[in-house]
Amino acid sequence: MSPITPLALISVAGLTNAFLGVVLWGVRRHLPFTIPGALPWSLAPLLCTGSTFFFGLERVLPASIVMLCGNALLMSGLGFFYFGSQLFLRQRCTWRAWALAGAALLAGLGLFWWIQPDFRARTLLFTSVAAMCNGAHAWLLLRHGSGFAARLMAQVLVVLCSVLVLRAATTFWLDAPDSTRTTQALMQQIYAVSLHLSALLLSIGCLLMISERVRHEFEYQATHDSLTGTLTRRGIFQACEVEWARWQRYGRSFSVLLLDIDHFKRINDRWGHQAGDRVLQDCTRKIMARLRNTDVVGRYGGEEFVVLLREADTEAAQAAAERIRQSLELRTTTPGIPAYTASIGVATAAAEDDCFDAMLKRADMGLYQAKASGRNQVVAL
């Protein structure tokens, strides 16, 4: 049985990259929402496959065309992986700077091909620029990425950078000025195989990162209200149940506010449902602006909201509710949002409550009293 040659590995990696590029392209086109970075990620493996194709045409095309086009496509593929990650992680895309670096690289390769031919200088140039690009990519993922896929891609890039640096450091020792890319030197074969296998692993990492983003997006949509961005009824109840369990176990007090916008039906009838939606969004913004980072807001239903105040006793909860009430009664200057007020019921975890539902019922009774007393009030029970 014949051993697997480096050329065979490169060919298989190139074909697989082409397949993954098509898969990434299809995934990007059929996602229910846009994922930044998916387009350059889908182009990157196709560019790497293009470089494999060009390098295979050494006996068909002029050697200079093969060298320039093959290296340009390979460097572009590595760059597109980087640009996709920048967009995916919502960082500034530096494609212009790297495009200039790529143009300088091609000029240098041409110089050491036609003016002063030297395979070693060309190798040093390409590996240096590629190592800088992949190193910057790995640093980006380590700083801003999260999850298994980001760590996998960062590790692949670190290994690839190590191979690139080692290849650059040994080229003047192992190679001659007239050496070629197809030399049978072990270091050259390791270098060539590493480049193409790394592109394959990076493509897999991109697919995994897209999959993780899709899962997180669906999880977010399942637990957050699409209009206000607050937790859904199920989401806020889960958070309150967790806090109830913490209070029972550790005795850390917490409170809930049950808030209802006064005369909301009148707002819809007079100003229209779009104005009503804007009121709900404005109410959410004002509530969240008056809370701590540890507090949580959820839409209970219609124009009602539940606010979870962690580690807040009755006095602190009443003060927070009053701040919210005063903020809501101030007429907003945003066009299209009519004036409105809200009534708020307050309840703090107490020994007489046998479950969270009992606590929420007390907050509901406080809300009922606030409305019965003329609305735009805070009542704590």
Side-chain angles (χ1 to χ4, degrees):
M1 183 176 180
S2 301
I4 299 177
T5 63
L7 180 59
L9 285 174
I10 291 172
S11 300
V12 171
L15 291 173
T16 310
N17 262 320
F19 173 75
L20 289 175
V22 173
V23 170
L24 282 164
W25 182 271
V27 167
R28 184 190 70 86
R29 289 290 302 275
H30 293 90
L31 285 173
F33 43 80
T34 301
I35 291 185
L39 177 58
W41 273 349
S42 64
L43 294 175
L46 297 177
L47 289 167
C48 292
T49 299
S51 74
T52 304
F53 174 76
F54 258 96
F55 284 135
L57 298 176
E58 287 180 320
R59 297 182 180 180
V60 179
L61 297 177
S64 58
I65 299 298
V66 171
M67 184 275 298
L68 284 176
C69 291
N71 283 307
L73 288 170
L74 183 55
M75 192 67 231
S76 297
L78 295 174
F80 272 58
F81 278 123
Y82 181 29
F83 306 146
S85 294
Q86 288 180 321
L87 294 172
F88 183 85
L89 298 173
R90 295 180 172 85
Q91 302 299 309
R92 185 175 65 89
C93 187
T94 57
W95 70 269
R96 290 183 178 86
W98 285 105
L100 290 175
L105 170 63
L106 291 180
L109 293 176
L111 170 67
F112 290 108
W113 179 274
W114 287 295
I115 308 300
Q116 187 169 348
D118 194 330
F119 174 80
R120 301 170 302 177
R122 296 197 303 272
T123 300
L124 179 63
L125 272 176
F126 183 86
T127 52
S128 298
V129 176
M132 288 189 290
C133 179
N134 291 316
H137 191 180
W139 180 242
L140 171 75
L141 292 169
L142 291 171
R143 286 188 64 191
H144 302 287
S146 61
F148 168 76
R151 291 194 299 271
L152 170 66
M153 290 180 68
Q155 291 169 2
V156 169
L157 289 165
V158 169
V159 172
L160 178 57
C161 282
S162 301
V163 173
L164 290 168
V165 170
L166 184 61
R167 184 70 183 101
T170 58
T171 184
F172 284 95
W173 173 38
L174 297 177
D175 303 315
D178 59 348
S179 296
T180 65
R181 189 185 63 85
T182 57
T183 179
Q184 295 300 309
L186 179 61
M187 190 66 236
Q188 173 64 17
Q189 293 182 358
I190 293 174
Y191 159 70
V193 170
S194 297
L195 278 171
H196 292 84
L197 287 182
S198 296
L200 172 60
L201 293 173
L202 290 175
S203 301
I204 295 173
C206 294
L207 274 172
L208 292 175
M209 289 183 73
I210 290 175
S211 175
E212 289 177 357
R213 177 65 60 84
V214 170
R215 178 172 57 82
H216 291 156
E217 185 67 26
F218 280 128
E219 288 177 353
Y220 180 88
Q221 291 180 2
T223 57
H224 287 75
D225 179 61
S226 59
L227 177 64
T228 62
T230 62
L231 289 175
T232 59
R233 179 187 180 111
R234 177 183 178 184
I236 188 64
F237 275 22
Q238 287 178 339
C240 290
E241 291 289 356
V242 170
E243 202 61 29
W244 176 267
R246 290 180 68 246
W247 171 72
Q248 285 190 311
R249 184 169 183 177
Y250 302 109
R252 296 177 179 174
S253 182
F254 76 100
S255 301
V256 292
L257 313 180
L258 189 55
L259 181 149
D260 184 87
I261 299 175
D262 298 325
H263 302 298
F264 187 71
K265 186 177 184 300
R266 293 184 187 176
I267 295 175
N268 281 331
D269 292 342
R270 181 179 178 184
W271 301 94
H273 288 279
Q274 290 184 340
D277 289 346
R278 289 192 291 269
V279 167
L280 290 172
Q281 292 170 335
D282 184 71
C283 178
T284 301
R285 286 192 294 268
K286 289 182 176 180
I287 292 172
M288 298 181 70
R290 298 300 183 276
L291 298 178
R292 304 164 298 176
N293 292 335
T294 56
D295 301 328
V296 184
V297 184
R299 190 175 177 188
Y300 188 41
E303 69 276 18
E304 288 187 312
F305 295 88
V306 174
V307 181
L308 168 61
L309 303 174
R310 292 191 171 99
E311 300 193 15
D313 56 20
T314 302
E315 183 179 354
Q318 282 184 287
E322 186 61 29
R323 288 195 302 271
I324 292 172
R325 187 199 65 78
Q326 292 177 3
S327 174
L328 297 180
E329 71 176 353
L330 294 176
R331 186 179 180 89
T332 181
T333 58
T334 305
I337 301 179
Y340 64 95
T341 60
S343 303
I344 306 175
V346 182
T348 303
E352 59 265 24
D353 297 327
D354 57 355
C355 62
F356 171 71
D357 287 345
M359 178 181 171
L360 185 65
K361 185 177 180 179
R362 286 195 292 113
D364 190 40
M365 292 172 60
L367 174 62
Y368 179 81
Q369 289 188 21
K371 286 185 170 293
S373 301
R375 294 182 169 82
N376 192 23
Q377 297 183 29
V378 173
V379 174
L381 291 180

